[in-house]
Amino acid sequence: MKLSDTDKAMLDGAEGPAVAAAMDLLVRYGQALDAEQLCDVRNVAGTMTQPSPAKARLVREGGWHKAYAVLNLDSDGDFAIPDMKVPTCQLQQSFGPDAEGIAPYPKEFVALQTDAEAFYSRKGVNILATCTPYQVGNLPVRGEHVAWMESSAVVYANSVLGARTNCEGTASTGAASLTGRIPCWGNHHTENRLGTHHIDVRTPVVGPLDWGMLGYFAGGLVQEERPVVTGTLARPDPLDLKHFGAAAASSGGVEIYHLPGITPEAPSLEAAFGGRPVPEAVPYGERERRAVYEDLNSQGNDPDVDFVLLGCPHASLDQVRDTARLLEGRRLSSGTQLWLMVPRALRTTADRNGWTQTIERAGGRVLTDSCPAMSRSVPPGTKVFATDSAKQAHYLPAILGIEAWFGTLADCVDAAVTGTWKGDLR
Ligand code: F3S
């Protein structure tokens, strides 16, 4: 792999041992991928603060410097971690002290995370604590090379914003933060961003439920390749695209998609394929739509719902408002809990609008920083949950061994109020 003079100097220790270890990791990573060079990044979204037993042990042994060396740089070196070289944010983490008494999460991990937040803030990390950094002001521009983790954020950055990132990991983002460099391969190259599959939609797709189901279909079809979707699509808003991408990255490993005339790198169907022949279209009609709905509800048997989870990926302000409106003047069933996950930076506005209070008056909770899948934490005794997120319906039954129902926001709120799942595909 070709290194610039600055890369070589970093590798040789000109900027200290931590940066040398970071560059060593990037060289090993880049060589394994056959990358020809590294590219500049000035926007890193990674994870440092998420607690784990391994992290707790490393912090006991050598403090946060040691934990970063081992977990974020794959190094057993004994050195101090300098300030982040380029803007870096913390993605979703675990529940914090304000979820105490609501989310059953170990106190020692809450303390560890609080300590981590203080340490990494001093190092320059923005503790956004959300899987949706793009909803709280982190918006790379089209064509910008970035280094992001979190599959739902990566697919949004590539497809909707036109930024360029692979689905990075804890160590590669840790090294990118200290060097401002990342291996230039995969989605950083234009030819790897062109469409590979064409899906022709022949049934109306309107609203987040339908966009989520279409994304789930697309991911299942193309797996890790790049779908281009045309047909009877209502013009999506950011919420629709958030659900489409998160679902496509769950049923498959989609990191970029194109919607001709909508997403920035596809002004036309032909452009989405870079002038190559457009493949034969795979239809998505009413039959396929129903099959996806049934698939996402295949883990639900018992209609008695004891937990409703909203806000995966973390909710936008519009979702908080819509949830509040649906709960206005109502009260949750005594056996059912409702959590709405929201970025902490949006919570202030939700409070100011009175939406948080409306949801809490009904018995629901507006929580930040994390989610049940990340924290492996749901209300005690949960056996059956309902969600409006194809991603959570896909993952949570496997992670926690609980049943899942999938439907619209209104179906989920009704289940929280009545304690019974009555959702159906309309
Ligand atoms: Fe975010 Fe958790 Fe969903 S991290 S994308 S709310 S699984």
Side-chain angles (χ1 to χ4, degrees), residues 92-93 130-132 150-153 246 309-315 341 369-374 389 391-392 395 399:
Q92 72 277 6
Q93 47 182 20
T130 176
C131 47
T132 59
E150 167 50 43
S151 63
S152 67
L309 173 67
L310 306 171
C312 169
H314 281 181
M341 308 308 311
D369 299 347
S370 192
C371 72
M374 285 306 297
S389 161
K391 177 170 179 172
Q392 282 284 341
Y395 283 121
I399 292 174

mmCIF file with all atom_site columns, all heavy atoms in Angstrom, residues 92-93 130-132 150-153 246 309-315 341 369-374 389 391-392 395 399, ligand 1:
data_model
loop_
_atom_site.group_PDB
_atom_site.id
_atom_site.type_symbol
_atom_site.label_atom_id
_atom_site.label_alt_id
_atom_site.label_comp_id
_atom_site.label_asym_id
_atom_site.label_entity_id
_atom_site.label_seq_id
_atom_site.pdbx_PDB_ins_code
_atom_site.Cartn_x
_atom_site.Cartn_y
_atom_site.Cartn_z
_atom_site.occupancy
_atom_site.B_iso_or_equiv
_atom_site.pdbx_formal_charge
_atom_site.auth_seq_id
_atom_site.auth_comp_id
_atom_site.auth_asym_id
_atom_site.auth_atom_id
_atom_site.pdbx_PDB_model_num
ATOM   1   N  N   . GLN A 1 92  ? -24.263 5.529   19.393 1.00 0.00 ? 92  GLN A N   1
ATOM   2   C  CA  . GLN A 1 92  ? -25.081 5.034   20.509 1.00 0.00 ? 92  GLN A CA  1
ATOM   3   C  C   . GLN A 1 92  ? -24.210 4.326   21.530 1.00 0.00 ? 92  GLN A C   1
ATOM   4   O  O   . GLN A 1 92  ? -23.185 3.738   21.190 1.00 0.00 ? 92  GLN A O   1
ATOM   5   C  CB  . GLN A 1 92  ? -26.177 4.083   20.006 1.00 0.00 ? 92  GLN A CB  1
ATOM   6   C  CG  . GLN A 1 92  ? -25.702 2.733   19.534 1.00 0.00 ? 92  GLN A CG  1
ATOM   7   C  CD  . GLN A 1 92  ? -25.194 2.753   18.105 1.00 0.00 ? 92  GLN A CD  1
ATOM   8   O  OE1 . GLN A 1 92  ? -25.091 3.779   17.487 1.00 0.00 ? 92  GLN A OE1 1
ATOM   9   N  NE2 . GLN A 1 92  ? -24.862 1.584   17.563 1.00 0.00 ? 92  GLN A NE2 1
ATOM   10  N  N   . GLN A 1 93  ? -24.628 4.366   22.775 1.00 0.00 ? 93  GLN A N   1
ATOM   11  C  CA  . GLN A 1 93  ? -23.888 3.673   23.822 1.00 0.00 ? 93  GLN A CA  1
ATOM   12  C  C   . GLN A 1 93  ? -24.902 2.922   24.687 1.00 0.00 ? 93  GLN A C   1
ATOM   13  O  O   . GLN A 1 93  ? -25.861 2.383   24.154 1.00 0.00 ? 93  GLN A O   1
ATOM   14  C  CB  . GLN A 1 93  ? -23.040 4.674   24.606 1.00 0.00 ? 93  GLN A CB  1
ATOM   15  C  CG  . GLN A 1 93  ? -23.807 5.922   25.005 1.00 0.00 ? 93  GLN A CG  1
ATOM   16  C  CD  . GLN A 1 93  ? -22.961 6.939   25.730 1.00 0.00 ? 93  GLN A CD  1
ATOM   17  O  OE1 . GLN A 1 93  ? -21.767 6.949   25.663 1.00 0.00 ? 93  GLN A OE1 1
ATOM   18  N  NE2 . GLN A 1 93  ? -23.630 7.805   26.479 1.00 0.00 ? 93  GLN A NE2 1
ATOM   19  N  N   . THR A 1 130 ? -25.872 8.651   19.882 1.00 0.00 ? 130 THR A N   1
ATOM   20  C  CA  . THR A 1 130 ? -27.014 8.236   19.071 1.00 0.00 ? 130 THR A CA  1
ATOM   21  C  C   . THR A 1 130 ? -26.526 7.494   17.834 1.00 0.00 ? 130 THR A C   1
ATOM   22  O  O   . THR A 1 130 ? -25.426 7.755   17.324 1.00 0.00 ? 130 THR A O   1
ATOM   23  C  CB  . THR A 1 130 ? -27.868 9.444   18.639 1.00 0.00 ? 130 THR A CB  1
ATOM   24  O  OG1 . THR A 1 130 ? -28.916 8.988   17.775 1.00 0.00 ? 130 THR A OG1 1
ATOM   25  C  CG2 . THR A 1 130 ? -27.057 10.507  17.905 1.00 0.00 ? 130 THR A CG2 1
ATOM   26  N  N   . CYS A 1 131 ? -27.377 6.576   17.365 1.00 0.00 ? 131 CYS A N   1
ATOM   27  C  CA  . CYS A 1 131 ? -27.095 5.874   16.113 1.00 0.00 ? 131 CYS A CA  1
ATOM   28  C  C   . CYS A 1 131 ? -27.453 6.742   14.909 1.00 0.00 ? 131 CYS A C   1
ATOM   29  O  O   . CYS A 1 131 ? -27.268 6.307   13.769 1.00 0.00 ? 131 CYS A O   1
ATOM   30  C  CB  . CYS A 1 131 ? -27.876 4.566   16.074 1.00 0.00 ? 131 CYS A CB  1
ATOM   31  S  SG  . CYS A 1 131 ? -29.607 4.756   16.543 1.00 0.00 ? 131 CYS A SG  1
ATOM   32  N  N   . THR A 1 132 ? -27.998 7.930   15.147 1.00 0.00 ? 132 THR A N   1
ATOM   33  C  CA  . THR A 1 132 ? -28.409 8.811   14.046 1.00 0.00 ? 132 THR A CA  1
ATOM   34  C  C   . THR A 1 132 ? -27.679 10.157  14.150 1.00 0.00 ? 132 THR A C   1
ATOM   35  O  O   . THR A 1 132 ? -28.326 11.194  14.341 1.00 0.00 ? 132 THR A O   1
ATOM   36  C  CB  . THR A 1 132 ? -29.933 9.035   14.061 1.00 0.00 ? 132 THR A CB  1
ATOM   37  O  OG1 . THR A 1 132 ? -30.289 9.622   15.336 1.00 0.00 ? 132 THR A OG1 1
ATOM   38  C  CG2 . THR A 1 132 ? -30.702 7.756   13.868 1.00 0.00 ? 132 THR A CG2 1
ATOM   39  N  N   . GLU A 1 150 ? -21.823 1.713   12.520 1.00 0.00 ? 150 GLU A N   1
ATOM   40  C  CA  . GLU A 1 150 ? -23.283 1.607   12.713 1.00 0.00 ? 150 GLU A CA  1
ATOM   41  C  C   . GLU A 1 150 ? -23.966 1.516   11.351 1.00 0.00 ? 150 GLU A C   1
ATOM   42  O  O   . GLU A 1 150 ? -24.082 2.495   10.608 1.00 0.00 ? 150 GLU A O   1
ATOM   43  C  CB  . GLU A 1 150 ? -23.822 2.770   13.562 1.00 0.00 ? 150 GLU A CB  1
ATOM   44  C  CG  . GLU A 1 150 ? -25.328 2.945   13.582 1.00 0.00 ? 150 GLU A CG  1
ATOM   45  C  CD  . GLU A 1 150 ? -26.106 1.664   13.894 1.00 0.00 ? 150 GLU A CD  1
ATOM   46  O  OE1 . GLU A 1 150 ? -25.692 0.919   14.795 1.00 0.00 ? 150 GLU A OE1 1
ATOM   47  O  OE2 . GLU A 1 150 ? -27.119 1.407   13.216 1.00 0.00 ? 150 GLU A OE2 1
ATOM   48  N  N   . SER A 1 151 ? -24.445 0.308   11.053 1.00 0.00 ? 151 SER A N   1
ATOM   49  C  CA  . SER A 1 151 ? -24.930 0.022   9.702  1.00 0.00 ? 151 SER A CA  1
ATOM   50  C  C   . SER A 1 151 ? -26.017 0.980   9.240  1.00 0.00 ? 151 SER A C   1
ATOM   51  O  O   . SER A 1 151 ? -26.035 1.396   8.076  1.00 0.00 ? 151 SER A O   1
ATOM   52  C  CB  . SER A 1 151 ? -25.414 -1.425  9.630  1.00 0.00 ? 151 SER A CB  1
ATOM   53  O  OG  . SER A 1 151 ? -26.516 -1.633  10.501 1.00 0.00 ? 151 SER A OG  1
ATOM   54  N  N   . SER A 1 152 ? -26.944 1.364   10.132 1.00 0.00 ? 152 SER A N   1
ATOM   55  C  CA  . SER A 1 152 ? -28.042 2.239   9.695  1.00 0.00 ? 152 SER A CA  1
ATOM   56  C  C   . SER A 1 152 ? -27.541 3.646   9.392  1.00 0.00 ? 152 SER A C   1
ATOM   57  O  O   . SER A 1 152 ? -28.105 4.349   8.541  1.00 0.00 ? 152 SER A O   1
ATOM   58  C  CB  . SER A 1 152 ? -29.146 2.281   10.754 1.00 0.00 ? 152 SER A CB  1
ATOM   59  O  OG  . SER A 1 152 ? -28.691 2.921   11.933 1.00 0.00 ? 152 SER A OG  1
ATOM   60  N  N   . ALA A 1 153 ? -26.493 4.074   10.091 1.00 0.00 ? 153 ALA A N   1
ATOM   61  C  CA  . ALA A 1 153 ? -25.918 5.405   9.830  1.00 0.00 ? 153 ALA A CA  1
ATOM   62  C  C   . ALA A 1 153 ? -25.071 5.381   8.562  1.00 0.00 ? 153 ALA A C   1
ATOM   63  O  O   . ALA A 1 153 ? -25.084 6.329   7.774  1.00 0.00 ? 153 ALA A O   1
ATOM   64  C  CB  . ALA A 1 153 ? -25.078 5.849   11.024 1.00 0.00 ? 153 ALA A CB  1
ATOM   65  N  N   . ALA A 1 246 ? -32.121 1.302   7.255  1.00 0.00 ? 246 ALA A N   1
ATOM   66  C  CA  . ALA A 1 246 ? -31.872 0.461   8.440  1.00 0.00 ? 246 ALA A CA  1
ATOM   67  C  C   . ALA A 1 246 ? -32.371 -0.962  8.187  1.00 0.00 ? 246 ALA A C   1
ATOM   68  O  O   . ALA A 1 246 ? -31.720 -1.940  8.573  1.00 0.00 ? 246 ALA A O   1
ATOM   69  C  CB  . ALA A 1 246 ? -32.562 1.055   9.664  1.00 0.00 ? 246 ALA A CB  1
ATOM   70  N  N   . LEU A 1 309 ? -41.652 -0.870  21.754 1.00 0.00 ? 309 LEU A N   1
ATOM   71  C  CA  . LEU A 1 309 ? -40.390 -0.166  21.539 1.00 0.00 ? 309 LEU A CA  1
ATOM   72  C  C   . LEU A 1 309 ? -40.482 0.668   20.262 1.00 0.00 ? 309 LEU A C   1
ATOM   73  O  O   . LEU A 1 309 ? -40.700 0.137   19.175 1.00 0.00 ? 309 LEU A O   1
ATOM   74  C  CB  . LEU A 1 309 ? -39.239 -1.163  21.403 1.00 0.00 ? 309 LEU A CB  1
ATOM   75  C  CG  . LEU A 1 309 ? -37.933 -0.479  21.016 1.00 0.00 ? 309 LEU A CG  1
ATOM   76  C  CD1 . LEU A 1 309 ? -37.449 0.411   22.152 1.00 0.00 ? 309 LEU A CD1 1
ATOM   77  C  CD2 . LEU A 1 309 ? -36.892 -1.483  20.638 1.00 0.00 ? 309 LEU A CD2 1
ATOM   78  N  N   . LEU A 1 310 ? -40.287 1.969   20.414 1.00 0.00 ? 310 LEU A N   1
ATOM   79  C  CA  . LEU A 1 310 ? -40.297 2.893   19.279 1.00 0.00 ? 310 LEU A CA  1
ATOM   80  C  C   . LEU A 1 310 ? -38.945 3.612   19.231 1.00 0.00 ? 310 LEU A C   1
ATOM   81  O  O   . LEU A 1 310 ? -38.283 3.753   20.257 1.00 0.00 ? 310 LEU A O   1
ATOM   82  C  CB  . LEU A 1 310 ? -41.424 3.918   19.443 1.00 0.00 ? 310 LEU A CB  1
ATOM   83  C  CG  . LEU A 1 310 ? -42.829 3.343   19.672 1.00 0.00 ? 310 LEU A CG  1
ATOM   84  C  CD1 . LEU A 1 310 ? -43.803 4.459   20.040 1.00 0.00 ? 310 LEU A CD1 1
ATOM   85  C  CD2 . LEU A 1 310 ? -43.311 2.593   18.432 1.00 0.00 ? 310 LEU A CD2 1
ATOM   86  N  N   . GLY A 1 311 ? -38.585 4.083   18.047 1.00 0.00 ? 311 GLY A N   1
ATOM   87  C  CA  . GLY A 1 311 ? -37.354 4.868   17.950 1.00 0.00 ? 311 GLY A CA  1
ATOM   88  C  C   . GLY A 1 311 ? -36.145 4.028   17.626 1.00 0.00 ? 311 GLY A C   1
ATOM   89  O  O   . GLY A 1 311 ? -35.097 4.173   18.241 1.00 0.00 ? 311 GLY A O   1
ATOM   90  N  N   . CYS A 1 312 ? -36.260 3.168   16.625 1.00 0.00 ? 312 CYS A N   1
ATOM   91  C  CA  . CYS A 1 312 ? -35.113 2.427   16.091 1.00 0.00 ? 312 CYS A CA  1
ATOM   92  C  C   . CYS A 1 312 ? -35.144 2.564   14.579 1.00 0.00 ? 312 CYS A C   1
ATOM   93  O  O   . CYS A 1 312 ? -36.085 2.072   13.970 1.00 0.00 ? 312 CYS A O   1
ATOM   94  C  CB  . CYS A 1 312 ? -35.135 0.957   16.462 1.00 0.00 ? 312 CYS A CB  1
ATOM   95  S  SG  . CYS A 1 312 ? -33.906 -0.029  15.542 1.00 0.00 ? 312 CYS A SG  1
ATOM   96  N  N   . PRO A 1 313 ? -34.146 3.207   13.969 1.00 0.00 ? 313 PRO A N   1
ATOM   97  C  CA  . PRO A 1 313 ? -33.108 4.043   14.574 1.00 0.00 ? 313 PRO A CA  1
ATOM   98  C  C   . PRO A 1 313 ? -33.721 5.172   15.420 1.00 0.00 ? 313 PRO A C   1
ATOM   99  O  O   . PRO A 1 313 ? -34.895 5.468   15.287 1.00 0.00 ? 313 PRO A O   1
ATOM   100 C  CB  . PRO A 1 313 ? -32.348 4.603   13.367 1.00 0.00 ? 313 PRO A CB  1
ATOM   101 C  CG  . PRO A 1 313 ? -32.618 3.617   12.259 1.00 0.00 ? 313 PRO A CG  1
ATOM   102 C  CD  . PRO A 1 313 ? -34.004 3.124   12.504 1.00 0.00 ? 313 PRO A CD  1
ATOM   103 N  N   . HIS A 1 314 ? -32.900 5.782   16.242 1.00 0.00 ? 314 HIS A N   1
ATOM   104 C  CA  . HIS A 1 314 ? -33.391 6.794   17.167 1.00 0.00 ? 314 HIS A CA  1
ATOM   105 C  C   . HIS A 1 314 ? -34.364 7.757   16.480 1.00 0.00 ? 314 HIS A C   1
ATOM   106 O  O   . HIS A 1 314 ? -34.164 8.160   15.331 1.00 0.00 ? 314 HIS A O   1
ATOM   107 C  CB  . HIS A 1 314 ? -32.218 7.576   17.754 1.00 0.00 ? 314 HIS A CB  1
ATOM   108 C  CG  . HIS A 1 314 ? -31.517 6.844   18.855 1.00 0.00 ? 314 HIS A CG  1
ATOM   109 N  ND1 . HIS A 1 314 ? -30.446 7.358   19.542 1.00 0.00 ? 314 HIS A ND1 1
ATOM   110 C  CD2 . HIS A 1 314 ? -31.754 5.626   19.414 1.00 0.00 ? 314 HIS A CD2 1
ATOM   111 C  CE1 . HIS A 1 314 ? -30.044 6.499   20.469 1.00 0.00 ? 314 HIS A CE1 1
ATOM   112 N  NE2 . HIS A 1 314 ? -30.816 5.433   20.392 1.00 0.00 ? 314 HIS A NE2 1
ATOM   113 N  N   . ALA A 1 315 ? -35.397 8.135   17.233 1.00 0.00 ? 315 ALA A N   1
ATOM   114 C  CA  . ALA A 1 315 ? -36.517 8.884   16.654 1.00 0.00 ? 315 ALA A CA  1
ATOM   115 C  C   . ALA A 1 315 ? -36.149 10.314  16.285 1.00 0.00 ? 315 ALA A C   1
ATOM   116 O  O   . ALA A 1 315 ? -35.330 10.963  16.935 1.00 0.00 ? 315 ALA A O   1
ATOM   117 C  CB  . ALA A 1 315 ? -37.670 8.897   17.647 1.00 0.00 ? 315 ALA A CB  1
ATOM   118 N  N   . MET A 1 341 ? -37.063 5.709   21.985 1.00 0.00 ? 341 MET A N   1
ATOM   119 C  CA  . MET A 1 341 ? -35.643 6.059   21.998 1.00 0.00 ? 341 MET A CA  1
ATOM   120 C  C   . MET A 1 341 ? -35.423 7.293   21.125 1.00 0.00 ? 341 MET A C   1
ATOM   121 O  O   . MET A 1 341 ? -35.871 7.337   19.978 1.00 0.00 ? 341 MET A O   1
ATOM   122 C  CB  . MET A 1 341 ? -34.795 4.900   21.446 1.00 0.00 ? 341 MET A CB  1
ATOM   123 C  CG  . MET A 1 341 ? -35.036 3.544   22.083 1.00 0.00 ? 341 MET A CG  1
ATOM   124 S  SD  . MET A 1 341 ? -34.946 3.534   23.886 1.00 0.00 ? 341 MET A SD  1
ATOM   125 C  CE  . MET A 1 341 ? -33.406 4.385   24.170 1.00 0.00 ? 341 MET A CE  1
ATOM   126 N  N   . ASP A 1 369 ? -29.674 7.791   24.433 1.00 0.00 ? 369 ASP A N   1
ATOM   127 C  CA  . ASP A 1 369 ? -28.336 7.180   24.445 1.00 0.00 ? 369 ASP A CA  1
ATOM   128 C  C   . ASP A 1 369 ? -28.243 5.772   23.870 1.00 0.00 ? 369 ASP A C   1
ATOM   129 O  O   . ASP A 1 369 ? -27.211 5.389   23.346 1.00 0.00 ? 369 ASP A O   1
ATOM   130 C  CB  . ASP A 1 369 ? -27.729 7.109   25.863 1.00 0.00 ? 369 ASP A CB  1
ATOM   131 C  CG  . ASP A 1 369 ? -27.550 8.461   26.515 1.00 0.00 ? 369 ASP A CG  1
ATOM   132 O  OD1 . ASP A 1 369 ? -27.667 9.472   25.797 1.00 0.00 ? 369 ASP A OD1 1
ATOM   133 O  OD2 . ASP A 1 369 ? -27.316 8.505   27.727 1.00 0.00 ? 369 ASP A OD2 1
ATOM   134 N  N   . SER A 1 370 ? -29.256 4.955   24.029 1.00 0.00 ? 370 SER A N   1
ATOM   135 C  CA  . SER A 1 370 ? -29.090 3.530   23.768 1.00 0.00 ? 370 SER A CA  1
ATOM   136 C  C   . SER A 1 370 ? -30.366 2.944   23.177 1.00 0.00 ? 370 SER A C   1
ATOM   137 O  O   . SER A 1 370 ? -31.212 3.662   22.634 1.00 0.00 ? 370 SER A O   1
ATOM   138 C  CB  . SER A 1 370 ? -28.727 2.823   25.081 1.00 0.00 ? 370 SER A CB  1
ATOM   139 O  OG  . SER A 1 370 ? -28.289 1.516   24.803 1.00 0.00 ? 370 SER A OG  1
ATOM   140 N  N   . CYS A 1 371 ? -30.508 1.649   23.313 1.00 0.00 ? 371 CYS A N   1
ATOM   141 C  CA  . CYS A 1 371 ? -31.728 0.947   22.906 1.00 0.00 ? 371 CYS A CA  1
ATOM   142 C  C   . CYS A 1 371 ? -31.640 -0.469  23.480 1.00 0.00 ? 371 CYS A C   1
ATOM   143 O  O   . CYS A 1 371 ? -30.566 -0.900  23.918 1.00 0.00 ? 371 CYS A O   1
ATOM   144 C  CB  . CYS A 1 371 ? -31.856 0.893   21.389 1.00 0.00 ? 371 CYS A CB  1
ATOM   145 S  SG  . CYS A 1 371 ? -30.698 -0.238  20.616 1.00 0.00 ? 371 CYS A SG  1
ATOM   146 N  N   . PRO A 1 372 ? -32.745 -1.210  23.490 1.00 0.00 ? 372 PRO A N   1
ATOM   147 C  CA  . PRO A 1 372 ? -32.693 -2.574  24.040 1.00 0.00 ? 372 PRO A CA  1
ATOM   148 C  C   . PRO A 1 372 ? -31.695 -3.479  23.335 1.00 0.00 ? 372 PRO A C   1
ATOM   149 O  O   . PRO A 1 372 ? -31.037 -4.300  23.988 1.00 0.00 ? 372 PRO A O   1
ATOM   150 C  CB  . PRO A 1 372 ? -34.123 -3.069  23.857 1.00 0.00 ? 372 PRO A CB  1
ATOM   151 C  CG  . PRO A 1 372 ? -34.952 -1.835  23.956 1.00 0.00 ? 372 PRO A CG  1
ATOM   152 C  CD  . PRO A 1 372 ? -34.139 -0.790  23.229 1.00 0.00 ? 372 PRO A CD  1
ATOM   153 N  N   . ALA A 1 373 ? -31.544 -3.338  22.019 1.00 0.00 ? 373 ALA A N   1
ATOM   154 C  CA  . ALA A 1 373 ? -30.623 -4.238  21.319 1.00 0.00 ? 373 ALA A CA  1
ATOM   155 C  C   . ALA A 1 373 ? -29.183 -3.968  21.739 1.00 0.00 ? 373 ALA A C   1
ATOM   156 O  O   . ALA A 1 373 ? -28.394 -4.890  21.946 1.00 0.00 ? 373 ALA A O   1
ATOM   157 C  CB  . ALA A 1 373 ? -30.775 -4.073  19.806 1.00 0.00 ? 373 ALA A CB  1
ATOM   158 N  N   . MET A 1 374 ? -28.810 -2.696  21.872 1.00 0.00 ? 374 MET A N   1
ATOM   159 C  CA  . MET A 1 374 ? -27.437 -2.359  22.252 1.00 0.00 ? 374 MET A CA  1
ATOM   160 C  C   . MET A 1 374 ? -27.157 -2.702  23.701 1.00 0.00 ? 374 MET A C   1
ATOM   161 O  O   . MET A 1 374 ? -26.072 -3.163  24.050 1.00 0.00 ? 374 MET A O   1
ATOM   162 C  CB  . MET A 1 374 ? -27.188 -0.857  22.055 1.00 0.00 ? 374 MET A CB  1
ATOM   163 C  CG  . MET A 1 374 ? -27.019 -0.437  20.626 1.00 0.00 ? 374 MET A CG  1
ATOM   164 S  SD  . MET A 1 374 ? -25.755 -1.367  19.754 1.00 0.00 ? 374 MET A SD  1
ATOM   165 C  CE  . MET A 1 374 ? -24.307 -0.917  20.686 1.00 0.00 ? 374 MET A CE  1
ATOM   166 N  N   . SER A 1 389 ? -40.293 -0.803  13.906 1.00 0.00 ? 389 SER A N   1
ATOM   167 C  CA  . SER A 1 389 ? -38.987 -0.859  13.249 1.00 0.00 ? 389 SER A CA  1
ATOM   168 C  C   . SER A 1 389 ? -38.693 -2.263  12.734 1.00 0.00 ? 389 SER A C   1
ATOM   169 O  O   . SER A 1 389 ? -38.607 -3.215  13.515 1.00 0.00 ? 389 SER A O   1
ATOM   170 C  CB  . SER A 1 389 ? -37.898 -0.452  14.248 1.00 0.00 ? 389 SER A CB  1
ATOM   171 O  OG  . SER A 1 389 ? -36.635 -0.891  13.801 1.00 0.00 ? 389 SER A OG  1
ATOM   172 N  N   . LYS A 1 391 ? -35.919 -3.231  11.709 1.00 0.00 ? 391 LYS A N   1
ATOM   173 C  CA  . LYS A 1 391 ? -34.612 -3.613  12.249 1.00 0.00 ? 391 LYS A CA  1
ATOM   174 C  C   . LYS A 1 391 ? -34.758 -4.257  13.628 1.00 0.00 ? 391 LYS A C   1
ATOM   175 O  O   . LYS A 1 391 ? -34.161 -5.299  13.903 1.00 0.00 ? 391 LYS A O   1
ATOM   176 C  CB  . LYS A 1 391 ? -33.694 -2.378  12.330 1.00 0.00 ? 391 LYS A CB  1
ATOM   177 C  CG  . LYS A 1 391 ? -32.341 -2.684  12.954 1.00 0.00 ? 391 LYS A CG  1
ATOM   178 C  CD  . LYS A 1 391 ? -31.350 -1.550  12.829 1.00 0.00 ? 391 LYS A CD  1
ATOM   179 C  CE  . LYS A 1 391 ? -30.033 -1.930  13.501 1.00 0.00 ? 391 LYS A CE  1
ATOM   180 N  NZ  . LYS A 1 391 ? -28.955 -0.969  13.279 1.00 0.00 ? 391 LYS A NZ  1
ATOM   181 N  N   . GLN A 1 392 ? -35.549 -3.654  14.505 1.00 0.00 ? 392 GLN A N   1
ATOM   182 C  CA  . GLN A 1 392 ? -35.718 -4.249  15.839 1.00 0.00 ? 392 GLN A CA  1
ATOM   183 C  C   . GLN A 1 392 ? -36.479 -5.563  15.761 1.00 0.00 ? 392 GLN A C   1
ATOM   184 O  O   . GLN A 1 392 ? -36.172 -6.512  16.485 1.00 0.00 ? 392 GLN A O   1
ATOM   185 C  CB  . GLN A 1 392 ? -36.455 -3.290  16.779 1.00 0.00 ? 392 GLN A CB  1
ATOM   186 C  CG  . GLN A 1 392 ? -35.592 -2.174  17.330 1.00 0.00 ? 392 GLN A CG  1
ATOM   187 C  CD  . GLN A 1 392 ? -34.628 -2.609  18.443 1.00 0.00 ? 392 GLN A CD  1
ATOM   188 O  OE1 . GLN A 1 392 ? -34.808 -3.649  19.068 1.00 0.00 ? 392 GLN A OE1 1
ATOM   189 N  NE2 . GLN A 1 392 ? -33.622 -1.797  18.685 1.00 0.00 ? 392 GLN A NE2 1
ATOM   190 N  N   . TYR A 1 395 ? -33.871 -8.145  14.839 1.00 0.00 ? 395 TYR A N   1
ATOM   191 C  CA  . TYR A 1 395 ? -32.781 -8.490  15.766 1.00 0.00 ? 395 TYR A CA  1
ATOM   192 C  C   . TYR A 1 395 ? -33.226 -8.910  17.161 1.00 0.00 ? 395 TYR A C   1
ATOM   193 O  O   . TYR A 1 395 ? -32.629 -9.811  17.761 1.00 0.00 ? 395 TYR A O   1
ATOM   194 C  CB  . TYR A 1 395 ? -31.808 -7.308  15.911 1.00 0.00 ? 395 TYR A CB  1
ATOM   195 C  CG  . TYR A 1 395 ? -30.875 -7.165  14.729 1.00 0.00 ? 395 TYR A CG  1
ATOM   196 C  CD1 . TYR A 1 395 ? -30.853 -5.998  13.984 1.00 0.00 ? 395 TYR A CD1 1
ATOM   197 C  CD2 . TYR A 1 395 ? -30.009 -8.190  14.369 1.00 0.00 ? 395 TYR A CD2 1
ATOM   198 C  CE1 . TYR A 1 395 ? -29.993 -5.861  12.892 1.00 0.00 ? 395 TYR A CE1 1
ATOM   199 C  CE2 . TYR A 1 395 ? -29.155 -8.060  13.283 1.00 0.00 ? 395 TYR A CE2 1
ATOM   200 C  CZ  . TYR A 1 395 ? -29.154 -6.898  12.547 1.00 0.00 ? 395 TYR A CZ  1
ATOM   201 O  OH  . TYR A 1 395 ? -28.311 -6.784  11.471 1.00 0.00 ? 395 TYR A OH  1
ATOM   202 N  N   . ILE A 1 399 ? -31.765 -11.718 19.892 1.00 0.00 ? 399 ILE A N   1
ATOM   203 C  CA  . ILE A 1 399 ? -30.868 -11.259 20.964 1.00 0.00 ? 399 ILE A CA  1
ATOM   204 C  C   . ILE A 1 399 ? -31.429 -11.608 22.332 1.00 0.00 ? 399 ILE A C   1
ATOM   205 O  O   . ILE A 1 399 ? -30.702 -12.050 23.224 1.00 0.00 ? 399 ILE A O   1
ATOM   206 C  CB  . ILE A 1 399 ? -30.651 -9.734  20.849 1.00 0.00 ? 399 ILE A CB  1
ATOM   207 C  CG1 . ILE A 1 399 ? -29.843 -9.408  19.589 1.00 0.00 ? 399 ILE A CG1 1
ATOM   208 C  CG2 . ILE A 1 399 ? -29.928 -9.186  22.083 1.00 0.00 ? 399 ILE A CG2 1
ATOM   209 C  CD1 . ILE A 1 399 ? -29.695 -7.914  19.311 1.00 0.00 ? 399 ILE A CD1 1
HETATM 210 FE FE1 . F3S B 2 .   ? -30.144 2.474   16.876 1.00 0.00 ? 1   F3S B FE1 1
HETATM 211 FE FE2 . F3S B 2 .   ? -30.420 0.469   18.498 1.00 0.00 ? 1   F3S B FE2 1
HETATM 212 FE FE3 . F3S B 2 .   ? -31.796 0.559   16.330 1.00 0.00 ? 1   F3S B FE3 1
HETATM 213 S  S1  . F3S B 2 .   ? -28.546 1.463   18.009 1.00 0.00 ? 1   F3S B S1  1
HETATM 214 S  S2  . F3S B 2 .   ? -30.481 1.568   14.864 1.00 0.00 ? 1   F3S B S2  1
HETATM 215 S  S3  . F3S B 2 .   ? -31.957 2.020   18.044 1.00 0.00 ? 1   F3S B S3  1
HETATM 216 S  S4  . F3S B 2 .   ? -30.835 -1.271  17.131 1.00 0.00 ? 1   F3S B S4  1
#
